[in-house]
Amino acid sequence: MSQVEKKVGLLRRSSSSKKPLKEKVVLMYDEIFAKEDPSKHNPRFWDELFLMKVNLEYLESKLESVDGEEVQRIQDNINSLFHHCVQALGEEHQIKVVNSLQTLCALFRGVHQKNKSASGFDIINMLMGFDKAELRMKDLMESLDSLLCGDGSESLKSLCLKLLLCLVTVTDNISQNTILEYVMINSIFEAILQILSDVSSRGQHGYDAVVLLALLVNYRKYESVNPYIVKLSIVDDEPTLDGMGMVVHHALTEYNRQYKAKEEENQGGFFSTLTTMVGNMFIADADEKLSVQTNEAILLALYEAVHLNRNFITVLAQSHPEIDMGVTPVTPIPTTPTTPLGTSPPSLDAMNNPELPLDPNLQTSNLLITFLKYASIVMQDTKEEHRLNSARLCLIILTCIAEDQYADAFLHDDNMNFRVNLHKMPMRHRKKGMDKNIPCRPLVCAVLDLMVEFIVTHMMKDFPMDLYMRCVQIIHKLICYQKKCRIRLHYTWRELWSALINLLKFLLSNETTLLAKHNIFHLALLVVNLFNMFITYGDTFLPTSNSYDELYYEVVRMHQVFDNLYCMVLRVSTNTGQWKEPASKVTHSLVNVRAIINHFNPKIESYAAVNHISQLSEEQVLEVVRTNYDTLTLKLQDGLDQFERYSEQPKEAAFFKELVRSISLNVRKNVSLNTMSQDVLLKEFSTIS
């Protein structure tokens, strides 16, 4: 029995010698795949077809099994099927609309699956006929727009979005899907915005709408003018932007909730023992239990909103009560299959009730806090490629935020203090729950904490250089803003300085191994220039004069690391080779650090000798520092508070191309119009039939 025959709905077997009877809809499909026009002998053929429950499996497999010559033979019938599907979308009979939407999905998937190597024009020709394609797609998009914006069934709206997601993701590379040209011309952008701005429709369809928008924005974004990019960049309607933020917020909250639940499952016992034994090494077996699949699709949507629309920045800071998603029952969406953890749309209850009663004891939250918590989870483990990509995207989003003046203003606002409990990787020198009593602080402190946490926990053999560069650059941009606006942030700066010095120490210890893969001098230069920022301008943004003293104390205390770095870069810069120039830049950048070390070390040694003290206390060293500033000479270094602004094209283009491909494959896998969802839909409209 052929593969196609296996997928035929069997009615009964009258005897072993007779073939099983086929469903009527399957017989009608067979007529379509015959040479003759199926309506020739039955004028009501198309009317009857759309009253039949669709057999998706059979129709798709039939399309996939058609060879080259057969395609030519049955193309008129396929074109006619497509045409009648589009016509049926305007029917008052809801069963016909449901069946036509599902048939269109099968057509898009089946034809693309069979013709993966075919050009987009050939696929368009097979589906609808190239000469009629513009009209057919115009009619299709107008019908979908009407269904999405109308007052009809929510199930139909969900099905429309599923069809659009199916259409957008049928090719691995979204930009090679030529049919999307018609989706660009006949925009459904306004329909998506309407879904997001309405509380009720957002609760049921917001997730699919946001993912669809994120994918459409990435269609040939570097090759031509994409109307979805243009329109998204100028949206200024507050309810719409809030709605988009709400969808992203709840999707990330659901991810955080699932991770926390898994984490609590693994508390104590075997997991804790392993943590203690292994220390700061990554615990593969134990951590595997905490693996919750990341949601790059919703993260991409957040990135596009932050990157393209400056008005969206206000949504990040919008405060509301922190919802305990742990006590909110998750209502599954009927037309969505079971998806991996972290990829399913959030609770409908939470999406439908953005305004909750204020409780004076309830911690307030916002989208940025939820995102920072999400980032603190995905940035823990970057060994797998998809988690590495997710961490990279988180840092790109934070880069865009750190460059935005309005975002910087609310990050540093003393009147907007929050308690942000970031997730931290288990390490030997600290206990799991040591940060329970975090004070309320400006949000920039949580961003800096996240950067410090990453720097401290990822010094490993497979060194994620790109992520380290982004971390240090984010810190630099935040400090540039503080210097510019003279903001004296009360932060534990010593933790940052210590992390940066340990990073330099790691680069020195692993010079040979790292140089085989990376330009470590670029990272070293960024780190040293951060210290130069503190040394040169610290008196304008460090909270107290004591903080400035502590900076000098840390530099002098860890002078051996800076001395070793200088020796290394001097050695490399005086030899010929590919690293000569970048090493030379680090050499020059160390001039003030070395001046501090060479100035204060003799003073400290002299103080110890005069007072007959073998080992000075921190307070004694600080006293030496304070009394010897006057005789210290430093050089003014230019450009320390300058940075290159983020630009997606060309540096990040390859990354986003692969990321969108990965998201597209995942969405395609999860978009399901299976038998169960068919039954749900058909039952809903059975009274009409």
Side-chain angles (χ1 to χ4, degrees), residues 63 128 159 357 548:
L63 286 162
M128 58 197 97
L159 205 53
Y548 198 69

Side-chain angles (χ1 to χ4, degrees), residues 92-107:
E92 288 184 15
H93 203 309
Q94 301 288 277
I95 288 286
K96 287 187 176 182
V97 180
V98 169
N99 288 331
S100 63
L101 286 167
Q102 297 191 63
T103 304
L104 281 168
C105 189
L107 274 172

Side-chain angles (χ1 to χ4, degrees), residues 641-660:
D641 57 349
Q642 304 296 313
F643 57 81
E644 183 183 352
R645 293 190 66 83
Y646 170 78
S647 175
E648 184 181 316
Q649 171 77 339
K651 286 185 178 180
E652 312 293 350
F655 166 70
F656 278 102
K657 184 179 177 181
E658 285 307 308
L659 180 73
V660 172

